[in-house]
Amino acid sequence: MTLHALRIGLLATATALSGPAPAALAGPAPVESAPDWKATNLLLDNGMEVVVVPDHRAPIVTHMVWYKIGSADEPPGKSGIAHFFEHLMFKATANHAAGEFDRAVADIGGSNNAFTSYDYTAFHETVPPSALEQMMRFEADRMRNLILTDDVIKTERDVILEERRSRIDGNPQAVLDEEVDATLWQNQPYRIPVIGWMQEMEQLNRTDAKAFYDSYYRPNNAVLVVAGDVDPDVVKAMAERTYGKIARGPDLPPRIRPVEPEQNTRRTVTLTDARVSVPSFSTQWVVPSYHTARPGEAEALDLLAEILGGDNHSRLYQQLVVKQGIASEAGAFFQGTMLDATNFTVYGSPRGDAKLSDVEAAVDAEIARIAKDGVTDDELERAKTRYVRSMIFARDKQDDMANMYGSTLATGGNVKDVLEWPDRIRKVTAEEIKTVAARYLVFDHSTTGYLLPQQQVGN
Amino acid sequence: MTLHALRIGLLATATALSGPAPAALAGPAPVESAPDWKATNLLLDNGMEVVVVPDHRAPIVTHMVWYKIGSADEPPGKSGIAHFFEHLMFKATANHAAGEFDRAVADIGGSNNAFTSYDYTAFHETVPPSALEQMMRFEADRMRNLILTDDVIKTERDVILEERRSRIDGNPQAVLDEEVDATLWQNQPYRIPVIGWMQEMEQLNRTDAKAFYDSYYRPNNAVLVVAGDVDPDVVKAMAERTYGKIARGPDLPPRIRPVEPEQNTRRTVTLTDARVSVPSFSTQWVVPSYHTARPGEAEALDLLAEILGGDNHSRLYQQLVVKQGIASEAGAFFQGTMLDATNFTVYGSPRGDAKLSDVEAAVDAEIARIAKDGVTDDELERAKTRYVRSMIFARDKQDDMANMYGSTLATGGNVKDVLEWPDRIRKVTAEEIKTVAARYLVFDHSTTGYLLPQQQVGN
């Protein structure tokens, strides 16, 4: 998991990303103009779940299919296959040549893409409502009719290998992040990079791909999310005419993954690289996700991240960047929308003559202060307001709403969880924030990554 | 893998150990009195491999069965099942009550036990030659006739859980070692403790055990090693009468395991505990094993470990303990007899007023000196002599010879590898030692575990 903030658990949809990435929502806006985002939830006979979120502000619709399969579900030694399959889904099917789907979207002025994460793989298009059924036909077609030849596999494997070389191996921060993840997670599969380990990606073959496709690309392992200027009954009829014709696949076993043992040590991972100019650190802890937490704990962690380091109002920013002037950046984030236990992260980088160790000590001090003294009622209220607003007013980002439903349903949650989220956030008490800070953010059981310039060895 | 020296890759046989443990051989003895340890190697029709090593110095025989199944072969989420199965093998079979085998060994004044490691599980008895066929009958019986009831599973699971609590969770060094292993190994299964993670051990059930037994406890996945006062032809006939009657099992797939990606970072793992009185550290590197190395590299690593920190003649001991007087202990070891890539380890602990960081810096300096200047011809010759002698003169330890054959054959080697080992050691050059030190023992790509007393936080 990367260092970037993942506000309310959404994924960026602009590019075919491997792993979570920033997706900050638009700033506050007046409450009274927001749509109510009420979602209709139904199940097709073949087991495909459908969520429709009407939004009539503009003649546009976001169409997404989420498969409940991510890198954390991959067989041992086959890392990268979930992301590889995301790529393969853009290849030829029995009914359409490679590129035909993309061209159809472009021809009507729409946009499309896909992304893979630890717990899911999703495909999406944003188009005028008149093109929705065409999108469904294309998407339903590639769910079962891909043509996986050795040639297709080889060509696309070269693409993902090159993607790894440029995105990870050529980027010291990404190289460090991978080894930090694999140090933080010692048993749970989030330790494996979404894009895969190079030596395993090189071996992925047609047999692996076919087995993966036949196991997971099935209507009973998929969630359709349609958000936009549509009527739920019309969407339902369209979904039945398209996806509904696909036969249900074999039942999938429950997604029970290896669980992380208790951490008893303080761990560090240091990368020293000539390409780094400014040192930085990030410290992570294993914490519960919305799916694994006791009631209220994940909400408290979300607000703790907001108060500690969510934005320019946060304690870390105000104290380290504004008042002390020792940091060029400092913050915190919590990735709540995960199937298994997840991570809480703080990070910082020095400014001017300040040392990295000064910034780290100041961050530790702010955490210790919350764990000992808690937060004020006033800053809690302000944090709740900011947080709930950011959830409610995604007015320019219809796809963020679709993402929120899709990622929640793909990680063990349901539509009710999304709808009730603001209320659950509002109920968190200052005592609960103090409790989760004291319980989880323990220095002796943390994992820190250091990215250092070459000359700063030993900093 | 633990901090203890594992001289020439043997395992202690005195107790049912989880994971490698010390097994230093007896000291030098005159060459001319050594038996030649020539081994006979044959295959039963059902695929069971047999190695006979005649040793007529005493009327005693060591009988071992090695299964090519260890903790690194376990399915995801089922950690500990290989070791659990070692325990289950002492339970009732269709033909013998639980404890009957043990009593038969005790009644004739013999000894017996078993051990589990990453790559194999072995069972052994040391008895008078007249009892050998009886041992074979018992051992062959439990290979296929165990009675695995829910009651047996539950009772023995409680035993392994208690074993974990006392052996690992109650021991700060063991807790640290586990997390260091899981930090050193980020993909290869040696990151998982042999005894298993508690939360997974608790879930092991009869279905898991039965599947494991039926897959791996088969003659075609086993190696019989008989060392002692026996005739190879007689042993062969006995093996055919006992083990030979067991049907061959289904063919097993090749043991291809997830491979470790290249390490790009320096990693540390620190455990601070009130029960620790003296601080210590150990630094590990991923290096090739005899099974994965290029020709000569593993032999060079064995001699590097010997010269750097093998015993009281070593550079680390002489420099840190004797001359500088800053360390109470300092040494190095290499675990060569492994199926996959393995680890090279250095360790040390301060004495008197010296700090742990002084010891660590002095160890690093000795490594840097070998990587830069190499070793002298004289110390190389002396190290070879010590090393080869320790291999050849295990005169009081017939079972060490059996172990050497068993562990080699269970990790992808053969009888010839064992026989030619001394010659290969003798061929290593000083240049090769310098090369492996410079190639593998790189500080920026190392993993260090620190065990600190409570008051030494921040040492």
Side-chain angles (χ1 to χ4, degrees), chain A residues 302-315:
Chain A
D302 253 332
L303 287 169
L304 172 60
E306 178 71 24
I307 293 169
L308 182 63
D311 67 1
N312 295 359
H313 301 86
S314 71
R315 287 189 177 201

Side-chain angles (χ1 to χ4, degrees), chain A residues 55-346:
Chain A
D55 169 19
H56 300 292
R57 294 168 304 167
I60 200 161
V61 64
T62 299
H63 169 254
M64 307 191 87
V65 175
W66 295 70
Y67 292 94
K68 296 179 196 170
I69 175 70
S71 62
D73 302 297
E74 294 167 338
K78 304 290 180 189
S79 65
I81 194 166
H83 171 254
F84 186 30
F85 218 89
E86 176 209 316
H87 279 241
L88 292 174
M89 285 285 279
F90 288 85
K91 298 296 163 187
T93 72
N95 304 302
H96 297 288
E100 209 176 310
F101 189 178
D102 287 351
R103 275 194 304 277
V105 173
D107 287 349
I108 52 177
S111 64
N112 70 321
N113 218 321
F115 51 84
T116 309
S117 186
Y118 298 98
D119 297 320
Y120 43 74
T121 309
F123 302 84
H124 58 97
E125 300 83 34
T126 300
V127 293
S130 59
L132 179 59
E133 186 158 359
Q134 185 192 14
M135 296 300 107
M136 289 190 181
R137 280 195 303 266
F138 269 115
E139 202 64 79
D141 173 51
R142 67 178 170 177
M143 190 187 294
R144 291 306 318 143
N145 300 323
L146 274 186
I147 300 171
L148 297 169
T149 64
D150 283 335
D151 194 50
V152 164
I153 296 290
K154 192 184 168 312
T155 306
E156 202 59 29
R157 194 174 52 208
D158 287 345
V159 172
I160 57 166
L161 291 173
E162 182 51 35
E163 184 179 342
R164 191 189 149 93
R165 275 187 285 266
S166 66
R167 203 187 276 271
I168 309 289
D169 302 332
N171 177 349
Q173 180 72 58
V175 169
L176 175 63
D177 286 346
E178 272 196 354
E179 299 194 21
V180 169
D181 287 350
T183 299
L184 177 72
W185 301 109
Q186 304 210 316
N187 198 41
Q188 196 172 291
Y190 296 163
R191 67 192 167 74
I192 300 170
V194 172
I195 199 164
W197 296 118
M198 182 65 94
Q199 77 277 6
E200 296 181 2
M201 296 165 68
E202 287 168 346
Q203 305 298 323
L204 295 174
N205 57 42
R206 198 172 71 90
T207 309
D208 299 332
K210 190 79 174 67
F212 195 83
Y213 189 45
D214 288 346
S215 296
Y216 298 113
Y217 280 74
R218 299 285 192 174
N220 44 317
N221 195 42
V223 180
L224 168 66
V225 181
V226 178
D229 189 13
V230 292
D231 174 79
D233 290 335
V234 173
V235 172
K236 184 186 175 195
M238 277 183 196
E240 278 169 350
R241 283 197 297 272
T242 52
Y243 297 108
K245 294 207 173 136
I246 306 170
R248 181 190 193 93
D251 284 346
L252 285 153
R255 297 172 90 187
I256 298 170
R257 302 193 185 130
V259 170
E260 192 61 16
E262 188 191 2
Q263 178 165 347
N264 298 288
T265 58
R266 156 123 174 103
R267 306 174 191 151
T268 72
V269 182
T270 304
L271 182 69
T272 304
D273 193 292
R275 290 167 291 180
V276 176
S277 53
V278 179
S280 63
F281 84 96
S282 76
T283 296
Q284 301 191 48
W285 292 268
V286 173
V287 296
S289 69
Y290 273 92
H291 189 239
T292 68
R294 282 172 278 194
E297 266 200 327
E299 291 81 357
L301 286 162
D302 253 332
L303 287 169
L304 172 60
E306 178 71 24
I307 293 169
L308 182 63
D311 67 1
N312 295 359
H313 301 86
S314 71
R315 287 189 177 201
L316 289 179
Y317 192 90
Q318 284 298 316
Q319 189 60 238
L320 277 68
V321 179
V322 178
K323 287 187 196 150
Q324 298 183 29
I326 58 172
S328 60
E329 58 164 5
F333 59 93
F334 165 63
Q335 303 199 150
T337 312
M338 304 292 285
L339 189 66
D340 297 317
T342 184
N343 58 317
F344 188 102
T345 304
V346 295

Side-chain angles (χ1 to χ4, degrees), chain A residues 304 367-368 370-372 432-442:
Chain A
L304 172 60
I367 293 169
I370 292 187
K372 182 168 170 287
E432 287 169 327
I433 307 247
K434 181 180 161 183
T435 301
V436 293
R439 177 177 299 150
Y440 295 113
L441 309 194
V442 176

